Amino acid sequence: MRPISAPFPAARFRRLRRMAALRDLAQENRLSTADLIWPVFLRDGENVEEAIPSMPGVARLSLDRVVRAAEEAVQLGIPALCLFPYTDPAVKTDDCAEAWNPENLTNRAVRAIKAAVPELVVMTDIALDPYNAQGHDGFFVNGEVLNDETVEALVKMALAQAEAGADILGPSDMMDGRIGALRAALESAGHRHVAILSYAAKYASAFYGPFRDAVGASGVLKGDKLTYQMHPGNSDEALRLVARDLAEGADMVMIKPGMPYLDICRRVKDAFGVPTYAYQVSGEYAMIRGAADRGWIDGEKAMLESLLAFRRAGCDGVLSYFAPQVARLLGPPS
Ligand code: PBG
């Protein structure tokens, strides 16, 4: 589309900005509570809400509390929750076996939430890092993150989550070939309805720092994730990854982090026209919240503006730790 404009003064853009009602009529993109996926952190125990210092306002929740959060999500009109476990260091091993334990924290939470509010979409994360003594998303052997062996483990993890009742599986591991392997395993196990939201274009980013605190992975990570996550300088590679994951059976795709990668969101939406999501990650949340807490920015406005930007960039939805706060402001979707 080539924008057409008359010369001044025939064209005066301020005519449509003159009053709120005209601005409303001319507004191209809108943010709705229906666009939000709320990521929450789980921990063991009862009646516990444990603050995460690098994510003010976000806490690790015990199962009873997460069920309450799920009920709140339904009341607020938030369509989906995404679960991330904080795993006791004693349970982290090199073989990551807790990841596919049907009784692990995530799987217990999925069952508890689906029993209480079956209408809420529950999304789970597929990657080994919360369970890995080495802190990586895959098996770490002799200084290398193994691909194919990790994919086999991810399949076991996915089946346990699907069995527990997860609606959307979110592989965030960036191993090659995992989408096809997961889809095939889900189909043959009878989980035909379970959707895959692929973290297709996930960058090796400094913005994940507070998340790693939240899941207890910061202290244990050996090195960095550059051999499997994308280099921040790449853009064409994101399109190839999305194309590959769609061809392997992904139902939805994600770009992550969000705000520094809005150009990728737009390219992906334009190129493929598929359900496209972004993750406004922990570091993005911490920056806005941290500045707001110091009075350096208007936190509410910055939060809404940052999320509207994802819609403008072509995203159908966004994972954001601001989800409940935004939903309270915007109200339930009409
Ligand atoms: C790991 C995973 C990460 C996030 C989601 N899943 C961190 C990482 O890749 O190190 C980050 C989310 C956030 O920062 O909010 N599988």
Side-chain angles (χ1 to χ4, degrees):
M1 178 187 72
R2 177 169 304 162
I4 296 173
S5 171
F8 176 83
R12 287 184 187 270
F13 283 87
R14 293 184 58 189
R15 282 184 203 122
L16 297 185
R17 298 186 195 130
R18 189 169 56 87
M19 48 197 275
L22 284 169
R23 290 192 293 274
D24 272 349
L25 278 174
Q27 184 169 332
E28 298 173 40
N29 298 286
R30 284 197 161 75
L31 178 68
S32 152
T33 300
D35 307 323
L36 301 170
I37 299 175
W38 178 8
V40 295
F41 297 107
L42 311 168
R43 57 151 296 151
D44 250 321
E46 216 175 298
N47 214 14
V48 192
E49 268 191 40
E50 182 179 39
I52 302 158
S54 50
M55 301 183 75
V58 178
R60 303 183 188 110
L61 306 176
S62 55
L63 292 196
D64 51 325
R65 295 292 180 113
V66 94
V67 169
R68 263 203 254 162
E71 287 162 352
E72 191 190 356
V74 170
Q75 275 158 17
L76 290 169
I78 297 172
L81 231 58
C82 181
L83 310 179
F84 293 100
Y86 169 84
T87 311
D88 195 312
V91 186
K92 295 182 195 242
T93 56
D94 286 348
D95 70 2
C96 309
E98 183 66 6
W100 50 92
N101 176 359
E103 294 304 319
N104 72 19
L105 199 48
T106 298
N107 293 329
R108 279 184 285 139
V110 172
R111 285 194 292 267
I113 293 169
K114 291 306 287 188
V117 276
E119 68 271 42
L120 183 71
V121 170
V122 176
M123 174 173 167
T124 48
D125 191 70
I126 300 184
L128 300 181
D129 54 323
Y131 312 98
N132 193 343
Q134 310 293 321
H136 278 288
D137 291 19
F139 293 126
F140 189 67
V141 179
N142 297 328
E144 192 192 335
V145 174
L146 303 180
N147 193 87
D148 301 15
E149 294 79 356
T150 298
V151 170
E152 283 174 32
L154 299 175
V155 164
K156 290 193 271 181
M157 190 176 180
L159 290 174
Q161 293 174 353
E163 203 57 51
D167 301 295
I168 300 179
L169 307 184
S172 69
D173 54 284
M174 288 294 278
M175 296 301 114
D176 288 315
R178 87 266 208 227
I179 301 300
L182 293 174
R183 190 70 266 163
L186 290 168
E187 292 296 319
S188 55
H191 298 297
R192 301 185 186 114
H193 54 283
V194 174
I196 297 177
L197 199 182
S198 171
Y199 287 59
K202 176 171 176 180
Y203 288 84
S205 173
F207 290 95
Y208 306 148
F211 172 94
R212 292 180 192 166
D213 297 341
V215 299
S218 304
V220 290
L221 179 63
K222 307 273 192 304
D224 56 47
K225 300 192 175 182
L226 282 159
T227 69
Y228 46 107
Q229 299 180 348
M230 284 179 69
H231 193 283
N234 293 356
S235 174
D236 289 343
E237 186 189 3
L239 298 191
R240 297 176 65 206
L241 287 167
V242 169
R244 189 265 317 259
D245 286 1
L246 291 170
E248 289 185 21
D251 302 284
M252 315 149 95
V253 296
M254 191 199 294
I255 293 91
K256 175 181 174 190
M259 287 152 58
Y261 297 91
L262 290 174
D263 58 321
I264 308 298
C265 299
R266 173 46 68 194
R267 283 194 79 185
V268 166
K269 190 61 175 180
D270 285 349
F272 300 100
V274 297
T276 302
Y277 301 80
Y279 199 143
Q280 183 181 52
V281 300
S282 56
E284 302 176 59
Y285 172 86
M287 285 194 304
I288 294 173
R289 184 60 206 247
D293 286 351
R294 286 159 186 76
W296 295 343
I297 54 171
D298 181 324
E300 215 162 76
K301 284 192 178 143
M303 166 183 84
L304 291 172
E305 184 179 332
S306 70
L307 289 166
L308 180 58
F310 291 104
R311 301 284 292 142
R312 196 189 61 238
C315 291
D316 296 287
V318 49
L319 287 89
S320 173
Y321 302 98
F322 286 121
Q325 212 181 322
V326 174
R328 273 178 227 119
L329 279 174
L330 299 183
S334 47

